[in-house]
Amino acid sequence: MLQFSKIQQNQCIGDVEAVDFKVLGDGTQMGHLIISCECKKYLKRFDVQASVLNWKISKFLKGSIECLDYASIKSYQFGSSDVQNF
């Protein structure tokens, strides 16, 4: 799964840095890959599905969204139990 991720560990794109990767279930789909990220702008650590982050990164690199940060990623996700301030 990692080879299909648009961000690699310790890489920063926009204001988001990939800190760690976790696999849920059998790990056969991008939705099973969870990326732990840190947002440099909002000083938050959060988890996001790789499929969601890949989609947001593509939009950011194409210029469809102005920034890639916690808020722009969170606008797609539901629930905030996976968020930590640091």
Side-chain angles (χ1 to χ4, degrees):
M1 289 282 120
L2 286 177
Q3 68 266 24
F4 299 112
S5 177
K6 293 186 183 288
I7 192 169
Q8 299 301 310
Q9 191 165 3
N10 301 320
Q11 182 182 12
C12 232
I13 299 178
D15 288 313
V16 174
E17 179 181 355
V19 177
D20 198 15
F21 293 84
K22 301 178 240 179
V23 177
L24 301 178
D26 60 8
T28 58
Q29 300 176 25
M30 285 303 284
H32 294 162
L33 181 62
I34 305 299
I35 303 175
S36 295
C37 300
E38 286 183 3
C39 176
K40 305 302 182 185
K41 182 177 179 181
Y42 291 99
L43 301 178
K44 292 190 181 286
R45 182 175 282 195
F46 61 98
D47 292 340
V48 61
Q49 290 179 331
S51 55
V52 171
L53 188 56
N54 277 353
W55 177 61
K56 290 289 189 169
I57 289 171
S58 292
K59 291 179 69 98
F60 175 68
L61 295 176
K62 291 177 184 174
S64 300
I65 56 174
E66 291 182 16
C67 60
L68 185 68
D69 57 23
Y70 168 75
S72 66
I73 293 167
K74 186 67 179 154
S75 69
Y76 182 80
Q77 288 193 292
F78 306 107
S80 59
S81 60
D82 57 351
V83 176
Q84 301 173 5
N85 292 328
F86 62 85

